Amino acid sequence: MRSVTGLIWAAVAAGLAAGTAFGQDAAGNWFSPRMGQLKLDARYDVDSYFNADVSDNLSRMHMTAHDLRLGIPLWQDDEQELSLNFGAGVTHFDSEVIFPDTRDAFPDELYDIRIGATYRRRLDNGWIAGGNLTVGSPSDKPFASIEEIAVSGTGFVRVPAGERNAWIFLLNYANNREFCPHVPLPGVAYLHSPNDQLRLMLGVPYSSVWYRPLERLLVEATYMIARNVHVEVSYDIAEPVRLYAGFDWRNDRWFRHDRPDDDDRLFYYEKRLKAGVVWSITDRISLDVGGGYAFDRFFFEGERYDDRDQNRLDLSDGPFLGAQVRASF
């Protein structure tokens, strides 16, 4: 349940990494025409959900999620970039909930440990080609067996279309994608930036808009197939302080170690409204504090979204609090 502060490439990171997380700017760097400008980036997020009633259970559930991400440039110049990305997340559950179908106890903790590498190179014809490989273990018992391993790989090409625009072509494989796991899927998008106030990315499986109608006002929206939506409006009230409000529809997926079927995954879906404030403490360090209301929340265990009635647990709507600390050097 990572806090999202509205960077335009956040949904790309979540979607193309297929459930892995590596720093929200990473996927933006995949498609940027600039080379050699990567920074060391570290982030820590925490989200805490108030106690919720759970369907078909006498117990209630309290969730607290922590996530640490680190992006490390290894080597870069005007023509090539190589970077590593690490992540470690854990969600704690305070409850005595049991799954309704299998009668198994709900895990006390769910982890998400991952490591990835990204390489980009500018070709002689001006195109930029590269790839990303991420390996992790989202599970209650990370790396206990090969059945708890998540792998995602993406190859991509950026083809300039004029001074400010470009075509993006990609191919992604992931065994923990929300839809069609294990199936290599192509993607295409058109990047359109007519001026410094508007950036559009229109395509499949991802589209986004970044629009600054006023100097201090920013509007962002992203959509990733099939059920990933992010909308945010932010306003700079003073040089170090920014207010924001938005909506997210998102999901997480884990491989529970003792699941009856190795093809099953534990899914979590939620929608939430959030508002908060970002304080740029220095040019390199920022603090994001916010909260909101989460609704339409549920867990289920199955192979795909069509199995959402299996081992299903519905959580009552309720408030949550979140914070993020970020440092970039």
Side-chain angles (χ1 to χ4, degrees):
M1 278 49 77
R2 293 180 296 273
S3 171
V4 181
T5 60
L7 296 175
I8 190 170
W9 300 106
V12 179
L16 298 183
T20 64
F22 50 88
Q24 296 168 348
D25 289 335
N29 288 323
W30 293 3
F31 310 138
S32 171
R34 299 175 297 176
M35 303 284 284
Q37 299 186 27
L38 298 178
K39 295 182 180 180
L40 177 67
D41 186 82
R43 306 183 191 192
Y44 167 70
D45 294 90
V46 59
D47 283 327
S48 182
Y49 292 74
F50 287 42
N51 272 333
D53 294 324
V54 182
S55 61
D56 300 324
N57 278 263
L58 297 178
S59 178
R60 308 185 76 193
M61 177 180 287
H62 177 265
M63 300 165 51
T64 302
H66 305 266
D67 195 59
L68 178 66
R69 287 161 286 170
L70 182 63
I72 305 174
L74 293 183
W75 186 80
Q76 57 182 320
D77 59 22
D78 292 339
E79 303 299 326
Q80 299 181 79
E81 294 175 345
L82 177 62
S83 61
L84 287 180
N85 298 279
F86 301 89
V90 58
T91 303
H92 299 281
F93 299 91
D94 183 8
S95 75
E96 297 180 358
V97 169
I98 60 174
F99 288 102
D101 297 340
T102 60
R103 310 307 295 175
D104 297 331
F106 196 92
D108 293 329
E109 288 93 20
L110 288 169
Y111 301 89
D112 186 5
I113 314 299
R114 64 268 179 191
I115 180 172
T118 302
Y119 176 74
R120 295 202 312 153
R121 182 181 181 88
R122 191 187 308 276
L123 307 180
D124 292 340
N125 59 2
W127 296 12
I128 294 177
N132 168 270
L133 177 64
T134 301
V135 178
S137 185
S139 176
D140 55 335
K141 295 182 179 180
F143 303 103
S145 74
I146 195 172
E147 302 299 337
E148 286 76 50
I149 303 299
V151 178
S152 174
T154 302
F156 51 88
V157 177
R158 183 188 191 277
V159 181
E163 183 178 352
R164 303 181 64 99
N165 307 322
W167 284 98
I168 303 296
F169 301 94
L170 58 89
L171 182 67
N172 172 260
Y173 167 83
N175 68 339
N176 195 25
R177 192 189 295 116
E178 181 194 2
F179 61 97
C180 299
H182 302 286
V183 179
L185 293 179
V188 61
Y190 184 69
L191 286 169
H192 179 58
S193 181
N195 51 58
D196 292 339
Q197 288 73 46
L198 179 63
R199 304 174 199 164
L200 296 173
M201 184 173 181
L202 304 175
V204 176
Y206 173 81
S207 295
S208 71
V209 57
W210 184 99
Y211 179 48
R212 189 179 289 278
L214 302 174
E215 182 179 357
R216 295 189 175 187
L217 181 65
L218 178 62
V219 179
E220 299 168 286
T222 59
Y223 172 70
M224 172 74 191
I225 295 175
R227 284 160 285 272
N228 294 276
V229 177
H230 173 69
V231 180
E232 182 176 290
V233 178
S234 60
Y235 186 80
D236 298 324
I237 62 173
E239 184 174 346
V241 179
R242 175 170 61 90
L243 301 178
Y244 68 89
F247 166 79
D248 287 291
W249 183 15
R250 56 178 305 280
N251 65 87
D252 286 307
R253 300 166 301 281
W254 299 269
F255 298 107
R256 190 164 63 94
H257 178 61
D258 293 327
R259 62 196 186 277
D261 187 337
D262 288 339
D263 291 331
D264 286 349
R265 293 171 289 167
L266 178 59
F267 289 79
Y268 173 71
Y269 281 84
E270 72 170 12
K271 298 171 185 173
R272 65 184 194 175
L273 299 170
K274 183 180 179 182
V277 57
V278 179
W279 175 32
S280 298
I281 302 172
T282 71
D283 291 341
R284 303 178 185 274
I285 300 174
S286 64
L287 174 64
D288 176 347
V289 178
Y293 191 75
F295 58 100
D296 197 10
R297 309 165 60 199
F298 59 92
F299 290 92
F300 73 90
E301 196 165 44
E303 294 185 37
R304 58 186 65 87
Y305 189 75
D306 289 344
D307 300 327
R308 59 189 178 276
D309 291 331
Q310 298 180 171
N311 247 6
R312 177 163 174 151
L313 296 166
D314 288 281
L315 279 62
S316 61
D317 304 342
F320 69 92
L321 298 174
Q324 179 192 86
V325 178
R326 178 183 180 184
S328 182
F329 301 93

